[in-house]
Amino acid sequence: MQILENTNKEKPVIILDCDTHSNQLADPILYEIAFKLCPVPLIVIKDSVILDCNSSAARLMDGGDIQSIIGKNILDFISPDMHEIAQSR
């Protein structure tokens, strides 16, 4: 799992990029609690597709509807002039 940094200091977002070898977590219940309650926007992606996000990310990206975000391409939420930089990370 790779953590991608965000350069926007006003609206920090942590994006977790899952690779094919690290999709199991040691304690999924603890992960789920920490993930959902974290005040920092968290987004889990694989191959640029959003697999999960917490409510903080949903509020930032789509006004609060997590289900409307899951399955979309992360680039849908990034300014087109930043796509090349985002794809290189």
Side-chain angles (χ1 to χ4, degrees), residues 19-86:
D19 62 33
T20 57
H21 304 293
S22 62
N23 57 4
Q24 296 296 318
L25 299 168
D27 188 345
I29 294 171
L30 182 60
Y31 161 82
E32 190 70 22
I33 292 169
F35 186 82
K36 290 194 179 300
L37 295 178
C38 184
V40 175
L42 298 173
I43 303 165
V44 179
I45 64 170
K46 182 174 182 180
D47 299 327
S48 298
V49 176
I50 299 172
L51 302 178
D52 200 359
C53 71
N54 65 1
S55 59
S56 296
R59 280 192 302 275
L60 179 69
M61 296 168 64
D62 200 314
D65 185 10
I66 293 171
Q67 294 307 312
S68 70
I69 296 169
I70 293 175
K72 289 189 176 179
N73 191 303
I74 190 69
L75 295 177
D76 293 347
F77 300 95
I78 297 174
S79 175
D81 60 328
M82 298 299 291
H83 282 190
E84 187 176 331
I85 293 170

